[in-house]
Amino acid sequence: MSSSVLVALVPIVLWTVACGVLVARLYSRRGDGRLEHDQFLTLVAIVSLAAAPWVSLIVYLTGDRQTVLGGVINVVVAAAVWLAALRARKSRLQTGSVRESQGSFRQKSALLMLCTLALTYIAYALLTWRAPVLIIPLFFGSALLVAIVAGVGHAVIALAHAPSSELDEAEDERDRDAERAGSRVAYLVLAFGIWVVPVVALLQWPALVVTNLAFLFIVLAQIAKYAAVLRYYRHGGVW
């Protein structure tokens, strides 16, 4: 182990100990034997900050060059969680009122998926149109990007949403009606695609183009579904 690593370990250990003390003090202040929502989020932020220099050190030791990418990611996550904690604390300390977010969690989820799918696959369509040879890598890359953005986006929405108890609530009749309305619209798009794709295949277009067209209708069906769900939540109907 180089001397520079040994020197870096000293502030890292001191930083970790300081974060541990903060965690212990915050945990000791819990009321009624349990942590409030904002206290739990603060703990998560502190733990993420405590791990940041260790992640950077590990990346430095295992990589070919010095980088702080891992630590930066931890700091960004900690900042986002800390902001959510501040909002949760402000809501908890408000007397005589309970803050509620505009729109339900499922409505925000539908909006997130609509924007993510639309923007990602618009970029996918433009790139594959200009460079057809990139269809396969862009296909898997776009799918991975959607999964990452959806996961992180839902986590951020869940942290910032109020009241947090809504996250654990089961679907009610309105949620089921919105889901059914979205599914009906998606089925219409897929039904149209079932007729279009075979016609294009009969015209002897390249196999990758036909496959890409079939994939396009699947994505369009999902986009139409989330758009219909949003419209149902806002207007009580699709048409």
Side-chain angles (χ1 to χ4, degrees):
M1 186 178 293
S2 64
S3 58
S4 60
V5 174
L6 291 175
V7 172
L9 275 176
V10 176
I12 291 176
V13 171
L14 292 176
W15 172 253
T16 306
V17 171
C19 290
V21 172
L22 287 175
V23 168
R25 291 191 61 181
L26 182 60
Y27 189 77
S28 65
R29 294 180 180 179
R30 66 189 187 281
D32 299 329
R34 64 181 183 85
L35 290 171
E36 298 290 345
H37 184 56
D38 59 289
Q39 293 175 329
F40 173 75
L41 293 177
T42 303
L43 285 179
V44 173
I46 295 174
V47 171
S48 181
L49 286 176
W54 292 104
V55 173
S56 294
L57 181 62
I58 292 172
V59 171
Y60 171 71
L61 293 175
T62 57
D64 297 329
R65 59 188 179 85
Q66 187 173 4
T67 177
V68 294
L69 179 59
V72 170
I73 292 175
N74 280 70
V75 172
V76 171
V77 171
V81 175
W82 216 310
L83 289 175
L86 291 176
R87 294 187 63 183
R89 177 177 174 80
K90 181 180 178 180
S91 176
R92 179 169 63 88
L93 295 180
Q94 285 178 342
T95 58
S97 62
V98 178
R99 185 182 67 86
E100 293 187 1
S101 299
Q102 293 184 351
S104 67
F105 175 77
R106 290 181 176 85
Q107 184 175 348
K108 294 177 182 178
S109 173
L111 179 60
L112 170 67
M113 294 306 301
L114 173 62
C115 295
T116 301
L117 289 171
L119 294 177
T120 300
Y121 289 108
I122 286 174
Y124 169 83
L126 293 175
L127 291 173
T128 53
W129 180 265
R130 299 183 62 180
V133 294
L134 297 178
I135 284 180
I136 293 179
L138 285 174
F139 172 82
F140 290 104
S142 59
L144 179 61
L145 179 61
V146 168
I148 293 174
V149 173
V152 175
H154 279 97
V156 173
I157 292 173
L159 290 174
H161 188 75
S164 58
S165 59
E166 183 187 331
L167 304 178
D168 300 322
E169 293 179 356
E171 289 185 344
D172 57 18
E173 190 63 31
R174 182 167 178 258
D175 296 325
R176 289 189 287 270
D177 288 342
E179 186 68 21
R180 284 192 290 268
S183 297
R184 284 195 296 269
V185 175
Y187 292 152
L188 291 176
V189 177
L190 285 176
F192 182 69
I194 289 174
W195 289 99
V196 172
V197 173
V199 171
V200 173
L202 290 174
L203 295 176
Q204 297 183 348
W205 285 25
L208 282 178
V209 174
V210 177
T211 303
N212 213 28
L213 184 62
F215 175 62
L216 174 64
F217 275 104
I218 294 174
V219 174
L220 286 177
Q222 288 299 309
I223 292 175
K225 172 186 175 181
Y226 290 118
V229 169
L230 277 176
R231 181 170 176 81
Y232 188 92
Y233 276 120
R234 294 183 178 182
H235 303 288
V238 176
W239 313 113

